[in-house]
Amino acid sequence: MLMMLSKRDFLKWGLASTLALASGAAAFARNAFPVTKSDAEWRRILPPAAYRVLREEDTEPPFSSPLNKEKRRGNFLCAGCGQKLFNSATKYESGTGWPSFYAPIRGGIGTKMDYGLHLPRVEVHCSNCGGHIGHVFDDGPKPTGKRYCMNGVAMKFEPV
């Protein structure tokens, strides 16, 4: 059934939606992650490229991360706090230029909607410190069908 909205109702709906999105983003920013640091502390402990990705939600250039070619057994950790994010058994070559995985380690990541490019995408962040890692898409391999497209500079590798 198609529902017609009056101009007034449409504007109210738009304002309510905008406020809900803004309050959700503000709540995420205020969220008390287990690891919290001031902006100055993050700047001091992270290399500039990692800071831009983890704390400012930037994206590294494709094919720039050595982790894209990492083939050893081990775990990929958050470069900000060291939390385990992905196991190498779930890594695959997506051809995108960024390290890609089909599944995270349970409890290692969180997600939220990202409208930064005016297109809805699902952002992936470390569930321990809130650092931005990348995005997840529905075009990955079996068994999950997911492609966790991660910024290598936001992670470190720990061989087993």
Side-chain angles (χ1 to χ4, degrees):
M1 177 176 147
L2 181 62
M3 185 159 95
M4 299 299 291
L5 294 175
S6 70
K7 186 176 181 181
R8 178 182 296 249
D9 288 338
F10 178 77
L11 292 172
K12 280 192 221 175
W13 176 83
L15 178 60
S17 298
T18 301
L19 291 173
L21 284 172
S23 67
F28 179 82
R30 289 189 308 267
N31 194 357
F33 289 97
V35 173
T36 57
K37 298 182 184 308
S38 70
D39 188 57
E41 289 174 299
W42 284 120
R43 284 184 187 277
R44 192 170 55 252
I45 66 170
L46 294 171
Y51 175 84
R52 285 190 303 274
V53 170
L54 285 164
R55 308 318 307 171
E56 295 179 339
E57 300 179 3
D58 197 4
T59 301
E60 70 185 359
F63 302 101
S64 64
S65 173
L67 293 184
N68 201 35
K69 294 179 180 159
E70 182 58 65
K71 306 285 190 226
R72 295 175 291 170
R73 287 184 37 203
N75 293 301
F76 293 82
L77 317 175
C78 174
C81 69
Q83 173 158 277
K84 291 180 181 177
L85 304 170
F86 297 94
N87 184 275
S88 62
T90 66
K91 187 174 186 287
Y92 72 99
E93 179 52 54
S94 67
T96 61
W98 290 279
S100 298
F101 306 84
Y102 62 79
I105 291 175
R106 178 172 276 155
I109 66 161
T111 60
K112 70 173 183 163
M113 289 306 295
D114 172 8
Y115 296 94
L117 296 178
H118 303 292
L119 299 169
R121 299 184 300 168
V122 179
E123 178 192 328
V124 174
H125 59 268
C126 173
S127 65
N128 197 41
C129 71
H132 170 79
I133 310 296
H135 292 87
V136 61
F137 303 96
D138 291 325
D139 60 0
K142 291 182 180 184
T144 65
K146 301 290 185 188
R147 173 173 51 98
Y148 290 84
C149 189
M150 304 294 101
N151 288 283
V153 72
M155 300 184 295
K156 294 181 179 180
F157 182 72
E158 179 181 70
V160 175

